[in-house]
Amino acid sequence: MTISLGYFLRESAINFRRNWVMTLGAVITIFLSLLLVGVSVATGYVVTEIVKDVERKVEVQIFLKDGFAEEDMIELQQFLSSDPLVASVDYTSKEEALAKFKEQMKESPEIIEQMEGNPLPASLDVKLVDARQVEVVVAKIKSNPTFPRVADKPDNPEESLKYAKQIVNRLFALTRVVRIVEIVFIAMLAIVSLIFINNTIRLAIYARRKEIGIMRLVGASNWFIRTPFLLEGVFQALIGATLAILTIVGLERAIMPKLREVLSFLDLSLGGTVMVQISLILIGSGILIGLMGSGFALRRYLKV
Amino acid sequence: MPYMISMRGVDKFYAGEKPALVDVNVEIEQGEFVFLVGHSGSGKSTFIKLLLREILPTRGTIVVAGQDLMRLKSWKVPYLRRNIGCVFQDFKLLPNKTSYENVAFALEVIGRSRHVIRTQVPEVLRLVGLEDKMDSYPDELSGGEQQRVSIARAFVNRPPLLLADEPTGNLDPQTSLGIMSLLSRINKTGTTVLVATHDREMVDSMRRRVIALENGKVIRDQDRGVYGYDD
């Protein structure tokens, strides 16, 4: 088998040189489609992280009027705590709210100076199990009979509720659309690269039709005849995949630090394991594209 | 003696054409030297293609080198062909390879080791009388020399059967004689040789078994025969 391996590599290299324009086309289209796959996996990962983070932070705040009845507040708190959609309900007193506010505003002390007394209401802070259920929980709060009695604005209790309306739902809808667009692009590029590989292999078969005829004549096995062509497609795909991986590593180095800076409140990182995963996915799909492209060509143009 | 080639009741029809072969019954024993003669269109090429299992007969059974071609799985066909050496009118040499490389190529692609190649290729080139032209390219060789390279390539793997399709078709009578005596020498090593030809002088001078085809039918099969057509 040692001479066979040398033979296969030599034959593939010769074809690379012979049809370098076609080969370049194949490599570039594979590179682009795999780059898109890699970028979409990476962004998918980052977006999932962001969504998770936002979900953790989504909460419903119920502002309470001054001098509310303690037992009403506790009743509401217990009602919500027992709900399976609710993760936790924490009470924040007026004093705690003021302390928190001062902490947030410490860079503009003039605002704090202008405040008279404590205008901030106490609140119940409701954390959710699933951020997408925020509207359901809000509806439950509104329909609770105790709620208007403790609400900060009893005339219009709804204004006593603060929550991030449907941000999460929109984020999910957006990522879905982006995903679909990506898949369409990747599919198109994959088809173009299949066509390119198919053509390079067809030319390679044509250029070597005499050798192939003699190989058949002297009894070279079918796989011996096919393998150099299959390998050639796989080589093209692997070069494309390597370029794509290098580009993605470069992009990660260039973009992620800035992204972390801008979104410092989020815990963002594309760890080494994610990059390894992406690399494996790209190499795997590269080999698949290469085998498919040359497989089609062999089926159509090489009768053994 | 077991048969090297056995054809029984073989018909071959191509769609929309007159029958290529009709009810052919031929048996060739191991070690025989046989001429297959006939005009162009008489079915010689079809006969050779059937033996190489490039095509299957419409009806009948063919056994070559112990393999029943009707039952032979297509992935095993290459292994059948390793038992059949082939020589053609147009030599089929690779122009960018030397004599040595052309012969070595045949061993390389069936996975023979470097060692086997290095010993067998010079040996077979000596056998065909080209020991001085191992490093020549086909365009530096005469027609007869090129045909010798192609015979060396067909024989280097020591196949039990050698098929030659018009091996002297492109050569002058003098050179043809040399090629024929080479094939005859190969036959003496025990290899069965089947030569398809319409070279009347050659057939008449050699006095070997002759199978004559006309319109796809075997019209004559005689030992020590002659070409026998009136053309």
Side-chain angles (χ1 to χ4, degrees), chain A residues 55-71:
Chain A
E55 277 180 342
R56 274 194 293 274
K57 292 190 166 82
V58 165
E59 57 175 28
V60 182
Q61 272 188 306
I62 309 170
F63 296 114
L64 307 173
K65 66 179 178 188
D66 291 357
F68 59 85
E70 184 96 16
E71 63 269 23

Side-chain angles (χ1 to χ4, degrees), chain A residues 100-156:
Chain A
K100 218 188 261 178
F101 181 73
K102 280 182 174 168
E103 174 67 25
Q104 281 169 359
M105 291 292 159
K106 67 183 170 198
E107 265 149 45
S108 22
E110 68 280 1
I111 295 178
I112 299 170
E113 275 166 30
Q114 285 174 11
M115 281 169 54
E116 291 170 22
N118 182 358
L120 297 175
S123 64
L124 281 173
D125 307 326
V126 185
K127 290 212 165 66
L128 305 183
V129 174
D130 180 357
R132 277 169 291 188
Q133 303 296 328
V134 65
E135 299 287 352
V136 180
V137 173
V138 166
K140 280 184 181 170
I141 294 170
K142 280 183 197 164
S143 59
N144 182 287
T146 325
F147 168 60
R149 276 188 275 145
V150 294
D152 186 32
K153 300 198 168 93
D155 308 329
N156 195 355

Side-chain angles (χ1 to χ4, degrees), chain A residues 7 10 211 214, chain B residues 93-109 117 121-122 125 133-138 149 153 156:
Chain A
Y7 165 84
R10 206 166 59 235
E211 281 100 322
I214 291 165
Chain B
L93 299 176
L94 297 172
N96 57 342
K97 289 187 194 291
T98 64
S99 314
Y100 180 93
E101 289 165 346
N102 263 291
V103 177
F105 182 72
L107 290 178
E108 221 175 291
V109 300
I117 292 172
V121 175
L125 281 169
K133 309 248 166 148
M134 288 206 220
D135 297 324
S136 305
Y137 289 90
V149 176
R153 182 181 62 196
V156 68

Side-chain angles (χ1 to χ4, degrees), chain B residues 85-147:
Chain B
C86 265
V87 177
F88 293 94
Q89 183 169 5
D90 58 355
F91 321 135
K92 295 195 194 294
L93 299 176
L94 297 172
N96 57 342
K97 289 187 194 291
T98 64
S99 314
Y100 180 93
E101 289 165 346
N102 263 291
V103 177
F105 182 72
L107 290 178
E108 221 175 291
V109 300
I110 60 171
R112 292 287 183 271
S113 74
R114 227 185 284 263
H115 173 74
V116 169
I117 292 172
R118 262 192 237 134
T119 53
Q120 289 195 2
V121 175
E123 193 185 313
V124 78
L125 281 169
R126 234 185 331 271
L127 179 84
V128 301
L130 286 178
E131 59 269 42
D132 299 332
K133 309 248 166 148
M134 288 206 220
D135 297 324
S136 305
Y137 289 90
D139 60 3
E140 300 165 348
L141 298 172
S142 71
E145 287 166 338
Q146 289 187 50
Q147 190 60 296

Side-chain angles (χ1 to χ4, degrees), chain A residues 24 26-27 29 58 67 99 145-146 179 192-193 221 239 254 264 279 299 304:
Chain A
L24 198 67
V27 168
T29 47
V58 165
T146 325
R179 209 26 64 88
V192 174
S193 21
S221 69
I239 291 176
S264 54
S279 304
R299 200 170 262 241
V304 287

Side-chain angles (χ1 to χ4, degrees), chain B residues 11 14 50 69 81 105 121 135 137 158 177 181-183 194-195 205 210 215 220 225-226:
Chain B
D11 293 344
Y14 296 109
L50 282 171
L69 300 198
R81 293 191 186 144
F105 182 72
V121 175
D135 297 324
Y137 289 90
R158 308 289 151 147
L177 211 61
S181 71
L182 176 58
L183 290 177
L194 176 70
V195 181
S205 69
V210 173
N215 294 326
R220 185 157 52 87
V226 292

